[in-house]
Amino acid sequence: MAFFGEKKKGDDFVPPATEQVVATDEDYEYQSEFQDVDRTHAGSSWTAYYNIVCVVAGTGTLGLPYSLRQGGWIGILILFLAWFMSTYTGVILVRCLYAKGNKRLSSYKDIATASFGPIGGWVVFFFNAWILVGAPVLYMVLAGGNLQHLCADTAGAIGDVPWTIICCAVVAIPFVFIKSMKEMAWMSAFGAGSTLAVVLIVFIVACIDKKSLPPVHHDNVIWDQFPIALATISVSFGGNAVYPHVEQSMTRPKDWPKVVSAGLATCAFMYFLTAVPCYFIYGNLAVNPIYNSIPDGVPQIIAIVLMTLHVLLAAPILLTSFALDVESMANITVERWGRVLEFIFRASFRILLICIVGVIACTVPHFDLLMSLIGSFSNCGLIFTFPVVFYLRLTGIRNKPIYELAWCALTVLLGIVGLIFGTIDSIKGLINAY
């Protein structure tokens, strides 16, 4: 399945290259005439790894035990499939950036436009915007609720909405002033570390708590809830929307297949460490986020604080990826406007964007239902379906082995099932909630 980006006979894939480097290796053949992006100030592969883990892990970790409660133990199989499929599509999505002409494409939208014209580009832009703006909305809802919970019975208990507005103001500071993914390396590293700490806290406390719990119920499969569980699980690997910009920030783009594989494997490790033990211990009592299932006390408070910090650090990464797409489309560059005007236009747009995020977050505060809706409506398409369709469109079908085509078909099928049925169930849930 070419997880590691090897160039196969017959592919139209043109690997990244620069004017300064002319070399060949087992993964890529460098060609000086290919126009790559400017990587003069790009970061290391470790920076990209931290960005992936910070964006992908987090809220997905906290929601997986509840997803197993919805769908049963069969969710473990879906988690494995989602992990392998998202790794594959993460590799081929970036490969598509180099598959058209002699110049690297800049965004997910450009890939769609190269594949199916302007209509395809705008459809993907809509889905992409839903994730890159919708997920930060989700994060602001979670952060605001967490801070209100931490301040309960104190003067700081000012309400979910005021705390959500404060969180948006905090996120606006790095979002407005940080321009590229490389500059967010320290934020990503801290976010990834805080997620791992939360996973360990929940795992240890849940194991201790097992002795004092009443008997719980487990299901092998719950068919009527299976589609929405599938859609929610897909959120756990929802990083494709930012991958083009993360890869663009790398000094060594040939390391991308290894970086995305390592990043998603790290996330999968944390997911299994949370999902399996917590569903086994809490069963039908598992809630979303899972740290609300563990007993009140210092460990729960630490977990809530760390996860709040994580989402506040992950939100600017997603919003920056969306802002970079829009700013590129609007040609908001230093070369065109100069440093002062470019900063004014960029800051104005980003402040407006964070205000939109805040308004939506204060209006739709249902964390679990919103998480399911975002995953089913957009992530299933962006993670599973679109990369495969674009890859086959740009590089051809007949030059692929039959086993890879079968894998592609299964990946697309999983995406379509999650998209249709998960969206229907999520909308029903939102209607009932209101």
Side-chain angles (χ1 to χ4, degrees):
M1 283 174 284
F3 270 36
F4 295 94
E6 67 270 18
K7 177 176 172 63
K8 298 181 295 182
K9 184 177 180 181
D11 275 359
D12 294 328
F13 170 61
V14 181
T18 65
E19 294 292 340
Q20 293 78 22
V21 181
V22 179
T24 60
D25 59 32
E26 60 183 1
D27 295 323
Y28 292 92
E29 295 178 359
Y30 284 76
Q31 301 178 3
S32 60
E33 64 271 15
F34 189 84
Q35 300 178 34
D36 194 12
V37 295
D38 182 12
R39 300 182 189 269
T40 306
H41 303 290
S44 67
S45 298
W46 281 107
T47 300
Y49 167 81
Y50 291 135
N51 281 332
I52 292 173
V53 176
C54 184
V55 169
V56 175
T59 54
T61 309
L62 304 177
L64 284 174
Y66 184 76
S67 297
L68 294 184
R69 170 187 167 180
Q70 288 180 308
W73 283 116
I74 195 174
I76 297 297
L77 173 62
I78 301 302
L79 188 59
F80 269 108
L81 285 176
W83 171 22
F84 296 143
M85 289 176 177
S86 61
T87 302
Y88 174 72
T89 58
V91 172
I92 64 174
L93 176 66
V94 169
R95 179 179 296 176
C96 290
L97 294 171
Y98 302 91
K100 188 72 173 179
N102 64 343
K103 182 179 180 180
R104 181 193 182 275
L105 302 175
S106 62
S107 66
Y108 210 144
K109 177 180 179 294
D110 288 345
I111 295 173
T113 301
S115 301
F116 295 100
I119 295 178
W122 285 112
V123 168
V124 167
F125 178 79
F126 171 76
F127 277 87
N128 219 33
W130 187 272
I131 290 298
L132 296 178
V133 178
V137 171
L138 189 73
Y139 291 167
M140 295 303 99
V141 172
L142 175 62
N146 284 351
L147 291 173
Q148 173 65 15
H149 175 74
L150 291 172
C151 296
D153 301 323
T154 70
I158 57 179
D160 288 353
V161 171
W163 273 120
T164 299
I165 295 173
I166 292 173
C167 291
C168 291
V170 171
V171 167
I173 297 174
F175 176 50
V176 170
F177 290 98
I178 293 179
K179 191 174 182 180
S180 67
M181 293 292 183
K182 177 192 173 183
E183 298 171 28
M184 295 185 174
W186 67 271
M187 299 171 62
S188 300
F190 184 85
S194 63
T195 302
L196 179 59
V198 171
V199 168
L200 294 177
I201 290 172
V202 171
F203 172 75
I204 294 172
V205 175
C207 291
I208 297 174
D209 191 37
K210 184 179 186 300
K211 299 178 181 179
S212 60
L213 288 175
V216 296
H217 176 72
H218 303 92
D219 293 285
N220 292 325
V221 58
I222 305 174
W223 289 114
D224 60 337
Q225 292 294 313
F226 176 73
I228 194 170
L230 182 153
T232 306
I233 290 173
S234 75
V235 173
S236 305
F237 294 97
N240 288 37
V242 303
Y243 287 168
H245 292 296
V246 173
E247 190 269 352
Q248 182 178 330
S249 69
M250 293 173 58
T251 303
R252 292 172 55 86
K254 70 174 184 177
D255 289 343
W256 171 254
K258 300 175 184 177
V259 169
V260 70
S261 299
L264 293 181
T266 302
C267 295
F269 168 75
M270 291 190 286
Y271 293 163
F272 285 112
L273 190 60
T274 304
V276 176
C278 288
Y279 180 60
F280 176 76
I281 293 171
Y282 294 107
N284 59 313
L285 302 179
V287 298
N288 183 18
I290 191 60
Y291 53 61
N292 286 335
S293 292
I294 66 177
D296 295 339
V298 174
Q300 186 190 60
I301 293 175
I302 295 175
I304 293 175
V305 170
L306 289 176
M307 190 50 58
T308 303
L309 290 174
H310 167 83
V311 298
L312 291 176
L313 293 174
I317 300 176
L318 294 166
L319 290 171
T320 298
S321 184
F322 176 74
L324 290 174
D325 284 343
V326 175
E327 290 159 8
S328 175
M329 293 163 55
N331 197 20
I332 301 177
T333 61
V334 175
E335 291 76 13
R336 179 182 180 186
W337 299 104
R339 292 188 180 276
V340 175
L341 282 179
E342 184 270 345
F343 175 76
I344 293 174
F345 291 150
R346 175 163 53 87
S348 299
F349 166 69
R350 296 190 178 198
I351 291 172
L352 175 63
L353 181 59
I354 197 66
C355 289
I356 293 173
V357 169
V359 170
I360 298 174
C362 294
T363 306
V364 189
H366 293 281
F367 172 71
D368 53 346
L369 296 176
L370 188 58
M371 181 176 180
S372 298
L373 179 61
I374 290 175
S376 58
F377 191 63
S378 294
N379 259 322
C380 288
L382 292 173
I383 298 173
F384 301 123
T385 305
F386 293 151
V388 172
V389 174
F390 298 157
Y391 175 59
L392 296 179
R393 174 76 171 179
L394 292 174
T395 65
I397 298 177
R398 295 183 179 181
N399 52 19
K400 306 294 187 299
I402 187 66
Y403 63 84
E404 184 173 7
L405 293 177
W407 179 253
C408 288
L410 182 61
T411 302
V412 171
L413 177 62
L414 186 66
I416 293 175
V417 170
L419 172 63
I420 296 175
F421 294 101
T423 299
I424 293 173
D425 286 347
S426 298
I427 292 175
K428 289 179 179 178
L430 283 171
I431 292 173
N432 292 333
Y434 283 98

